[in-house]
Amino acid sequence: MLLSTSIAAMRQPVSAGTTRPRAWRLEQLERLEQAIAARRDAVLNALASDLGKPPVEAYFELVAVQQEIQLVRSRLRRWMAPRAVGLPVFMQPGWAEVIREPLGCVLVIGPWNYPFLLSLQPLVSALAAGNTVVLKPSEHAPATSALIGELLEAAFPASTVQVVQGDGPVAQALLQERFDHIFFTGGERVGRLVMEAAARHLTPVTLELGGKSPAVVLGDADLEVSARRLVWGKCLNAGQTCIAPDYLLVDEAVQAPLVQRLSQRIEHCFGSEPLASPDLGSLVNQAQFERLHNLLEGARHRGQVLFGGASDADQRRIAPTLIRVDSLDDPLMQEELFGPLLPVLSVSGLDEAIERINQRPKPLALYLFSKQRAAQEQILQRTSSGGVCFNDVVMQVGVPELPFGGVGNSGMGSYHGEAGFRTFSHERSVMRRPFRLDVPFRYPPYAGKLPLVRRLLG
């Protein structure tokens, strides 16, 4: 048995209305917050064990979950409030509104790259919306996955939150169950399998995927600032970030000076021997290391490595590496890299950059470094992506009330803040009417207006 409590039993408190009051939802958030606070050091240790995360990077995962809880707590009353809708004259007197109600029992499948944050952040939204949750953390981050299980099992009864551990076949077995929503974070290949399984029960899905997110650097950009921000965003979590800049499209007039500044910045951050740096994370497993190492060796053989290139199989580490790429057909341009390799392509200007971007599937994030407001508007008008950030990278995900999600191959649906609350809620239409028009109608906003309404109706 995968589940100690059946999906039907987990759905029952939602159907009975137990989870609808705001007080119940706030209680679940309080339970989660206290459980996280009590295991803070254990979380940092687990992330270091699974991904070699430096303390600052690991602490970010903790802070982001706590920030989400605080935001939801402060906004929950407003998000839960019914929204009044005006009626056409021929339907008056009457009253219409939209209420947000829980979906039921939902499934959250977490990823391995930010295994704590990206498992618990959607959990926060699901509980705030009044649902019960089955959570499947990633088996590729075993220490963090085990800790999440211990933490949530101590904080919640199984009728509210259950954690299921296991690999791909376990996830496939879970997907045979009829959930009321499935929230998946991961790669495009598995996302297709999730969507296919969900279709059998007509279960709605949110897919947070990824893709090759481009960064465009135009000739008027501040190269020093651009290099600093690009290196930080690309090397965060050893490049294993779904919205990291996956490749650069650089105005040919500034390619050489930008590469020089990028190289200097990498050395400034990680030293002359980056594989020994305490600030460089590890790749999650040997399979990921081998995949990236093979791409790196191919680029080295073709004479494309501009800077970096060192690797250590025992530590599963690859130094941040700049690689010249001349074509979208290059092996490094075929799939999301998800590592510290950064291809650099030269373009003649913004038009060519946009053309190259539009030749690929829609990315999860798109970055432009330029002082020109007109160039920024061109990016917005002529491209499509999950999100856009100008003159920085990754930072957009840290804005609590900005929806986060993909489009096309990079995903569907969104979360964070109110977007997450809405993802795990059903917007239900409600209309009320009196039996007799000559009976005083007391529902706002039409109370006291019956004579006017009767005249309008003739």
Side-chain angles (χ1 to χ4, degrees), residues 258-309:
L258 178 63
V259 168
Q260 180 183 13
R261 286 169 172 79
L262 289 169
S263 304
Q264 292 170 345
R265 186 63 188 175
I266 291 171
E267 186 165 357
H268 173 83
C269 291
F270 302 102
S272 58
E273 297 183 8
L275 297 180
S277 171
D279 297 317
L280 181 66
S282 302
L283 299 172
V284 67
N285 54 38
Q286 203 62 33
Q288 291 294 327
F289 174 85
E290 292 296 337
R291 178 182 66 84
L292 289 166
H293 185 261
N294 290 338
L295 288 171
L296 173 58
E297 288 305 300
R300 195 195 312 277
H301 180 74
R302 295 186 297 271
Q304 295 173 257
V305 175
L306 300 173
F307 182 83

Short mmCIF file of all heavy atoms in Angstrom, two decimals, residues 258-309:
data_model
loop_
_atom_site.label_atom_id
_atom_site.label_comp_id
_atom_site.label_asym_id
_atom_site.label_seq_id
_atom_site.Cartn_x
_atom_site.Cartn_y
_atom_site.Cartn_z
N LEU A 258 32.76 41.07 -23.09
CA LEU A 258 31.86 40.41 -22.14
C LEU A 258 32.45 39.08 -21.68
O LEU A 258 32.42 38.77 -20.49
CB LEU A 258 30.48 40.18 -22.77
CG LEU A 258 29.49 39.45 -21.85
CD1 LEU A 258 29.18 40.27 -20.60
CD2 LEU A 258 28.20 39.10 -22.59
N VAL A 259 32.98 38.29 -22.61
CA VAL A 259 33.60 37.01 -22.23
C VAL A 259 34.75 37.25 -21.26
O VAL A 259 34.92 36.50 -20.29
CB VAL A 259 34.08 36.25 -23.49
CG1 VAL A 259 34.99 35.08 -23.10
CG2 VAL A 259 32.89 35.75 -24.30
N GLN A 260 35.52 38.31 -21.49
CA GLN A 260 36.62 38.63 -20.58
C GLN A 260 36.10 38.93 -19.18
O GLN A 260 36.63 38.44 -18.18
CB GLN A 260 37.41 39.82 -21.12
CG GLN A 260 38.59 40.21 -20.23
CD GLN A 260 39.31 41.44 -20.74
OE1 GLN A 260 38.82 42.15 -21.63
NE2 GLN A 260 40.49 41.72 -20.21
N ARG A 261 35.04 39.73 -19.10
CA ARG A 261 34.48 40.08 -17.79
C ARG A 261 33.81 38.89 -17.12
O ARG A 261 33.88 38.73 -15.90
CB ARG A 261 33.50 41.25 -17.94
CG ARG A 261 34.20 42.59 -18.18
CD ARG A 261 33.22 43.67 -18.59
NE ARG A 261 33.83 44.98 -18.65
CZ ARG A 261 34.60 45.42 -19.66
NH1 ARG A 261 34.84 44.60 -20.70
NH2 ARG A 261 35.12 46.63 -19.63
N LEU A 262 33.16 38.04 -17.90
CA LEU A 262 32.57 36.83 -17.34
C LEU A 262 33.67 35.94 -16.74
O LEU A 262 33.51 35.39 -15.64
CB LEU A 262 31.80 36.06 -18.41
CG LEU A 262 30.48 36.68 -18.90
CD1 LEU A 262 29.99 35.94 -20.14
CD2 LEU A 262 29.42 36.64 -17.81
N SER A 263 34.77 35.80 -17.47
CA SER A 263 35.88 34.97 -16.98
C SER A 263 36.45 35.53 -15.69
O SER A 263 36.72 34.78 -14.73
CB SER A 263 36.97 34.89 -18.06
OG SER A 263 36.45 34.41 -19.28
N GLN A 264 36.62 36.83 -15.66
CA GLN A 264 37.16 37.47 -14.45
C GLN A 264 36.22 37.30 -13.27
O GLN A 264 36.66 37.06 -12.14
CB GLN A 264 37.41 38.96 -14.73
CG GLN A 264 38.53 39.23 -15.72
CD GLN A 264 38.59 40.69 -16.16
OE1 GLN A 264 37.64 41.46 -15.95
NE2 GLN A 264 39.69 41.07 -16.79
N ARG A 265 34.94 37.40 -13.55
CA ARG A 265 33.97 37.28 -12.47
C ARG A 265 33.93 35.84 -11.93
O ARG A 265 33.81 35.63 -10.71
CB ARG A 265 32.57 37.70 -12.95
CG ARG A 265 31.54 37.75 -11.83
CD ARG A 265 31.91 38.78 -10.78
NE ARG A 265 31.04 38.71 -9.62
CZ ARG A 265 31.20 39.43 -8.52
NH1 ARG A 265 32.21 40.27 -8.43
NH2 ARG A 265 30.36 39.31 -7.51
N ILE A 266 34.00 34.86 -12.79
CA ILE A 266 34.02 33.46 -12.35
C ILE A 266 35.23 33.23 -11.45
O ILE A 266 35.11 32.61 -10.38
CB ILE A 266 34.05 32.51 -13.57
CG1 ILE A 266 32.71 32.57 -14.32
CG2 ILE A 266 34.35 31.08 -13.12
CD1 ILE A 266 32.71 31.84 -15.64
N GLU A 267 36.39 33.74 -11.87
CA GLU A 267 37.60 33.55 -11.05
C GLU A 267 37.48 34.30 -9.73
O GLU A 267 37.92 33.82 -8.69
CB GLU A 267 38.83 34.01 -11.82
CG GLU A 267 40.13 33.72 -11.07
CD GLU A 267 41.34 33.84 -11.97
OE1 GLU A 267 41.19 34.09 -13.17
OE2 GLU A 267 42.46 33.68 -11.43
N HIS A 268 36.85 35.48 -9.76
CA HIS A 268 36.65 36.25 -8.52
C HIS A 268 35.78 35.46 -7.54
O HIS A 268 36.04 35.45 -6.34
CB HIS A 268 36.01 37.59 -8.84
CG HIS A 268 35.62 38.38 -7.63
ND1 HIS A 268 36.52 39.15 -6.93
CD2 HIS A 268 34.42 38.49 -6.97
CE1 HIS A 268 35.90 39.71 -5.89
NE2 HIS A 268 34.63 39.33 -5.91
N CYS A 269 34.74 34.79 -8.05
CA CYS A 269 33.79 34.09 -7.18
C CYS A 269 34.32 32.74 -6.69
O CYS A 269 34.07 32.35 -5.54
CB CYS A 269 32.47 33.88 -7.91
SG CYS A 269 31.53 35.40 -8.22
N PHE A 270 35.05 32.03 -7.56
CA PHE A 270 35.40 30.65 -7.25
C PHE A 270 36.91 30.39 -7.20
O PHE A 270 37.31 29.26 -6.95
CB PHE A 270 34.73 29.71 -8.26
CG PHE A 270 33.23 29.84 -8.30
CD1 PHE A 270 32.61 30.54 -9.31
CD2 PHE A 270 32.45 29.29 -7.29
CE1 PHE A 270 31.23 30.67 -9.35
CE2 PHE A 270 31.07 29.42 -7.31
CZ PHE A 270 30.46 30.12 -8.34
N GLY A 271 37.70 31.43 -7.44
CA GLY A 271 39.14 31.28 -7.35
C GLY A 271 39.75 30.63 -8.58
O GLY A 271 39.06 30.26 -9.53
N SER A 272 41.08 30.48 -8.55
CA SER A 272 41.79 29.89 -9.68
C SER A 272 41.59 28.38 -9.76
O SER A 272 41.86 27.77 -10.79
CB SER A 272 43.29 30.22 -9.58
OG SER A 272 43.81 29.73 -8.35
N GLU A 273 41.11 27.76 -8.68
CA GLU A 273 40.80 26.33 -8.65
C GLU A 273 39.34 26.16 -8.20
O GLU A 273 39.06 25.81 -7.06
CB GLU A 273 41.75 25.59 -7.72
CG GLU A 273 43.21 25.64 -8.16
CD GLU A 273 44.11 24.82 -7.25
OE1 GLU A 273 43.56 24.09 -6.38
OE2 GLU A 273 45.33 24.91 -7.40
N PRO A 274 38.41 26.39 -9.10
CA PRO A 274 36.98 26.41 -8.70
C PRO A 274 36.49 25.08 -8.15
O PRO A 274 35.55 25.07 -7.35
CB PRO A 274 36.26 26.78 -10.01
CG PRO A 274 37.24 26.49 -11.10
CD PRO A 274 38.59 26.72 -10.53
N LEU A 275 37.09 23.97 -8.55
CA LEU A 275 36.62 22.68 -8.04
C LEU A 275 36.87 22.53 -6.56
O LEU A 275 36.24 21.68 -5.90
CB LEU A 275 37.30 21.54 -8.80
CG LEU A 275 37.00 21.46 -10.30
CD1 LEU A 275 37.74 20.29 -10.93
CD2 LEU A 275 35.50 21.35 -10.56
N ALA A 276 37.77 23.35 -6.01
CA ALA A 276 38.04 23.32 -4.57
C ALA A 276 37.27 24.38 -3.80
O ALA A 276 37.38 24.47 -2.58
CB ALA A 276 39.54 23.50 -4.33
N SER A 277 36.46 25.17 -4.51
CA SER A 277 35.76 26.28 -3.86
C SER A 277 34.60 25.77 -3.01
O SER A 277 33.79 24.94 -3.46
CB SER A 277 35.22 27.25 -4.90
OG SER A 277 34.37 28.21 -4.30
N PRO A 278 34.45 26.27 -1.79
CA PRO A 278 33.29 25.89 -0.96
C PRO A 278 31.99 26.50 -1.44
O PRO A 278 30.91 26.15 -0.95
CB PRO A 278 33.67 26.43 0.43
CG PRO A 278 34.58 27.58 0.15
CD PRO A 278 35.36 27.19 -1.08
N ASP A 279 32.07 27.41 -2.41
CA ASP A 279 30.87 28.09 -2.91
C ASP A 279 30.31 27.46 -4.17
O ASP A 279 29.31 27.95 -4.71
CB ASP A 279 31.20 29.56 -3.18
CG ASP A 279 31.61 30.31 -1.93
OD1 ASP A 279 30.95 30.11 -0.89
OD2 ASP A 279 32.59 31.07 -1.97
N LEU A 280 30.94 26.38 -4.64
CA LEU A 280 30.45 25.70 -5.85
C LEU A 280 29.73 24.43 -5.44
O LEU A 280 30.31 23.56 -4.76
CB LEU A 280 31.62 25.37 -6.79
CG LEU A 280 31.23 24.67 -8.10
CD1 LEU A 280 30.40 25.61 -8.98
CD2 LEU A 280 32.49 24.22 -8.85
N GLY A 281 28.48 24.30 -5.86
CA GLY A 281 27.70 23.11 -5.53
C GLY A 281 28.08 21.93 -6.41
O GLY A 281 28.87 22.04 -7.36
N SER A 282 27.49 20.78 -6.10
CA SER A 282 27.74 19.54 -6.85
C SER A 282 26.56 19.21 -7.74
O SER A 282 25.43 19.64 -7.48
CB SER A 282 27.98 18.38 -5.88
OG SER A 282 29.06 18.63 -5.03
N LEU A 283 26.80 18.44 -8.79
CA LEU A 283 25.72 17.91 -9.60
C LEU A 283 25.03 16.80 -8.82
O LEU A 283 25.65 16.10 -8.03
CB LEU A 283 26.25 17.42 -10.93
CG LEU A 283 26.90 18.55 -11.76
CD1 LEU A 283 27.59 17.99 -12.99
CD2 LEU A 283 25.88 19.60 -12.16
N VAL A 284 23.75 16.61 -9.07
CA VAL A 284 22.93 15.82 -8.17
C VAL A 284 23.33 14.34 -8.14
O VAL A 284 23.26 13.69 -7.11
CB VAL A 284 21.43 15.98 -8.50
CG1 VAL A 284 21.12 15.38 -9.86
CG2 VAL A 284 20.56 15.39 -7.42
N ASN A 285 23.76 13.79 -9.29
CA ASN A 285 24.13 12.38 -9.32
C ASN A 285 25.11 12.13 -10.46
O ASN A 285 25.41 13.04 -11.27
CB ASN A 285 22.90 11.48 -9.44
CG ASN A 285 22.01 11.85 -10.62
OD1 ASN A 285 22.50 12.22 -11.69
ND2 ASN A 285 20.70 11.76 -10.43
N GLN A 286 25.59 10.91 -10.55
CA GLN A 286 26.61 10.58 -11.54
C GLN A 286 26.06 10.68 -12.96
O GLN A 286 26.78 11.04 -13.89
CB GLN A 286 27.16 9.18 -11.28
CG GLN A 286 28.56 8.93 -11.85
CD GLN A 286 29.61 9.86 -11.24
OE1 GLN A 286 29.51 10.23 -10.07
NE2 GLN A 286 30.60 10.23 -12.04
N ALA A 287 24.80 10.35 -13.14
CA ALA A 287 24.22 10.42 -14.48
C ALA A 287 24.22 11.86 -15.00
O ALA A 287 24.54 12.10 -16.18
CB ALA A 287 22.79 9.86 -14.46
N GLN A 288 23.86 12.82 -14.14
CA GLN A 288 23.89 14.21 -14.57
C GLN A 288 25.31 14.67 -14.85
O GLN A 288 25.57 15.41 -15.81
CB GLN A 288 23.25 15.10 -13.48
CG GLN A 288 21.75 14.92 -13.32
CD GLN A 288 20.98 15.37 -14.55
OE1 GLN A 288 21.37 16.29 -15.25
NE2 GLN A 288 19.88 14.69 -14.83
N PHE A 289 26.25 14.23 -14.02
CA PHE A 289 27.65 14.58 -14.25
C PHE A 289 28.12 14.05 -15.60
O PHE A 289 28.74 14.77 -16.39
CB PHE A 289 28.54 14.05 -13.13
CG PHE A 289 30.00 14.27 -13.39
CD1 PHE A 289 30.61 15.47 -13.04
CD2 PHE A 289 30.78 13.28 -14.00
CE1 PHE A 289 31.95 15.70 -13.30
CE2 PHE A 289 32.13 13.50 -14.26
CZ PHE A 289 32.71 14.71 -13.90
N GLU A 290 27.85 12.79 -15.89
CA GLU A 290 28.31 12.19 -17.14
C GLU A 290 27.70 12.88 -18.34
O GLU A 290 28.37 13.09 -19.36
CB GLU A 290 27.97 10.70 -17.15
CG GLU A 290 28.75 9.86 -16.14
CD GLU A 290 30.24 9.84 -16.43
OE1 GLU A 290 30.63 10.08 -17.60
OE2 GLU A 290 31.02 9.59 -15.50
N ARG A 291 26.42 13.23 -18.26
CA ARG A 291 25.76 13.91 -19.39
C ARG A 291 26.46 15.22 -19.70
O ARG A 291 26.80 15.51 -20.86
CB ARG A 291 24.28 14.15 -19.05
CG ARG A 291 23.50 14.89 -20.11
CD ARG A 291 22.07 15.11 -19.68
NE ARG A 291 21.96 16.00 -18.54
CZ ARG A 291 21.95 17.34 -18.64
NH1 ARG A 291 22.02 17.93 -19.83
NH2 ARG A 291 21.83 18.08 -17.55
N LEU A 292 26.69 16.04 -18.67
CA LEU A 292 27.33 17.34 -18.88
C LEU A 292 28.81 17.20 -19.24
O LEU A 292 29.33 17.95 -20.07
CB LEU A 292 27.17 18.21 -17.63
CG LEU A 292 25.76 18.70 -17.36
CD1 LEU A 292 25.63 19.25 -15.95
CD2 LEU A 292 25.35 19.76 -18.38
N HIS A 293 29.47 16.22 -18.63
CA HIS A 293 30.88 16.01 -18.92
C HIS A 293 31.08 15.61 -20.38
O HIS A 293 32.03 16.07 -21.05
CB HIS A 293 31.45 14.93 -18.00
CG HIS A 293 32.93 14.73 -18.15
ND1 HIS A 293 33.48 13.72 -18.90
CD2 HIS A 293 33.98 15.45 -17.67
CE1 HIS A 293 34.80 13.79 -18.86
NE2 HIS A 293 35.12 14.84 -18.13
N ASN A 294 30.18 14.79 -20.92
CA ASN A 294 30.28 14.40 -22.33
C ASN A 294 30.07 15.60 -23.25
O ASN A 294 30.77 15.74 -24.28
CB ASN A 294 29.26 13.31 -22.65
CG ASN A 294 29.61 11.99 -22.00
OD1 ASN A 294 30.77 11.73 -21.66
ND2 ASN A 294 28.62 11.12 -21.81
N LEU A 295 29.13 16.47 -22.91
CA LEU A 295 28.94 17.70 -23.70
C LEU A 295 30.18 18.58 -23.63
O LEU A 295 30.61 19.17 -24.64
CB LEU A 295 27.72 18.46 -23.19
CG LEU A 295 26.35 17.85 -23.49
CD1 LEU A 295 25.25 18.59 -22.73
CD2 LEU A 295 26.07 17.89 -24.99
N LEU A 296 30.76 18.69 -22.44
CA LEU A 296 31.96 19.50 -22.27
C LEU A 296 33.13 18.94 -23.07
O LEU A 296 33.86 19.70 -23.75
CB LEU A 296 32.32 19.56 -20.78
CG LEU A 296 33.64 20.24 -20.40
CD1 LEU A 296 33.67 21.68 -20.89
CD2 LEU A 296 33.84 20.19 -18.89
N GLU A 297 33.31 17.65 -23.03
CA GLU A 297 34.42 17.03 -23.77
C GLU A 297 34.24 17.19 -25.28
O GLU A 297 35.21 17.40 -26.02
CB GLU A 297 34.55 15.56 -23.39
CG GLU A 297 35.10 15.35 -21.99
CD GLU A 297 36.44 16.05 -21.79
OE1 GLU A 297 37.40 15.74 -22.53
OE2 GLU A 297 36.52 16.93 -20.91
N GLY A 298 33.00 17.10 -25.74
CA GLY A 298 32.75 17.34 -27.16
C GLY A 298 33.11 18.75 -27.57
O GLY A 298 33.73 18.98 -28.62
N ALA A 299 32.72 19.73 -26.73
CA ALA A 299 33.07 21.12 -27.01
C ALA A 299 34.58 21.33 -26.96
O ALA A 299 35.15 22.07 -27.77
CB ALA A 299 32.38 22.03 -26.01
N ARG A 300 35.25 20.68 -26.01
CA ARG A 300 36.70 20.81 -25.92
C ARG A 300 37.38 20.24 -27.19
O ARG A 300 38.31 20.81 -27.72
CB ARG A 300 37.20 20.08 -24.68
CG ARG A 300 38.64 20.44 -24.30
CD ARG A 300 39.23 19.46 -23.30
NE ARG A 300 38.34 19.18 -22.19
CZ ARG A 300 38.23 19.96 -21.10
NH1 ARG A 300 38.93 21.08 -21.02
NH2 ARG A 300 37.41 19.62 -20.12
N HIS A 301 36.88 19.11 -27.64
CA HIS A 301 37.43 18.48 -28.84
C HIS A 301 37.26 19.38 -30.06
O HIS A 301 38.13 19.40 -30.95
CB HIS A 301 36.73 17.14 -29.07
CG HIS A 301 37.21 16.41 -30.29
ND1 HIS A 301 38.44 15.78 -30.36
CD2 HIS A 301 36.61 16.21 -31.50
CE1 HIS A 301 38.60 15.24 -31.55
NE2 HIS A 301 37.49 15.48 -32.26
N ARG A 302 36.17 20.13 -30.10
CA ARG A 302 35.93 21.03 -31.24
C ARG A 302 36.58 22.39 -31.05
O ARG A 302 36.40 23.29 -31.87
CB ARG A 302 34.41 21.20 -31.44
CG ARG A 302 33.69 19.93 -31.85
CD ARG A 302 32.23 20.19 -32.19
NE ARG A 302 31.46 20.68 -31.04
CZ ARG A 302 30.83 19.90 -30.16
NH1 ARG A 302 30.91 18.57 -30.28
NH2 ARG A 302 30.14 20.41 -29.16
N GLY A 303 37.31 22.59 -29.97
CA GLY A 303 38.01 23.84 -29.73
C GLY A 303 37.09 25.00 -29.36
O GLY A 303 37.40 26.16 -29.65
N GLN A 304 35.98 24.72 -28.65
CA GLN A 304 34.99 25.76 -28.36
C GLN A 304 35.11 26.34 -26.95
O GLN A 304 34.45 27.33 -26.65
CB GLN A 304 33.57 25.19 -28.54
CG GLN A 304 33.22 24.79 -29.96
CD GLN A 304 31.87 24.09 -30.01
OE1 GLN A 304 31.78 22.87 -30.14
NE2 GLN A 304 30.80 24.88 -29.91
N VAL A 305 35.88 25.72 -26.08
CA VAL A 305 35.94 26.17 -24.69
C VAL A 305 36.69 27.50 -24.61
O VAL A 305 37.85 27.60 -25.03
CB VAL A 305 36.63 25.12 -23.79
CG1 VAL A 305 36.79 25.66 -22.37
CG2 VAL A 305 35.80 23.83 -23.77
N LEU A 306 36.03 28.51 -24.09
CA LEU A 306 36.62 29.85 -23.96
C LEU A 306 37.24 30.07 -22.59
O LEU A 306 38.20 30.82 -22.45
CB LEU A 306 35.54 30.91 -24.21
CG LEU A 306 34.85 30.88 -25.57
CD1 LEU A 306 33.69 31.87 -25.60
CD2 LEU A 306 35.84 31.22 -26.68
N PHE A 307 36.66 29.44 -21.58
CA PHE A 307 37.17 29.60 -20.21
C PHE A 307 36.65 28.46 -19.36
O PHE A 307 35.51 28.01 -19.51
CB PHE A 307 36.70 30.94 -19.62
CG PHE A 307 37.21 31.19 -18.23
CD1 PHE A 307 38.48 31.71 -18.02
CD2 PHE A 307 36.43 30.88 -17.13
CE1 PHE A 307 38.96 31.93 -16.74
CE2 PHE A 307 36.90 31.10 -15.84
CZ PHE A 307 38.17 31.63 -15.65
N GLY A 308 37.46 28.00 -18.42
CA GLY A 308 37.04 26.94 -17.52
C GLY A 308 37.26 25.57 -18.14
O GLY A 308 38.19 25.36 -18.91
N GLY A 309 36.40 24.63 -17.77
CA GLY A 309 36.46 23.30 -18.35
C GLY A 309 36.93 22.21 -17.42
O GLY A 309 36.91 21.04 -17.79
#
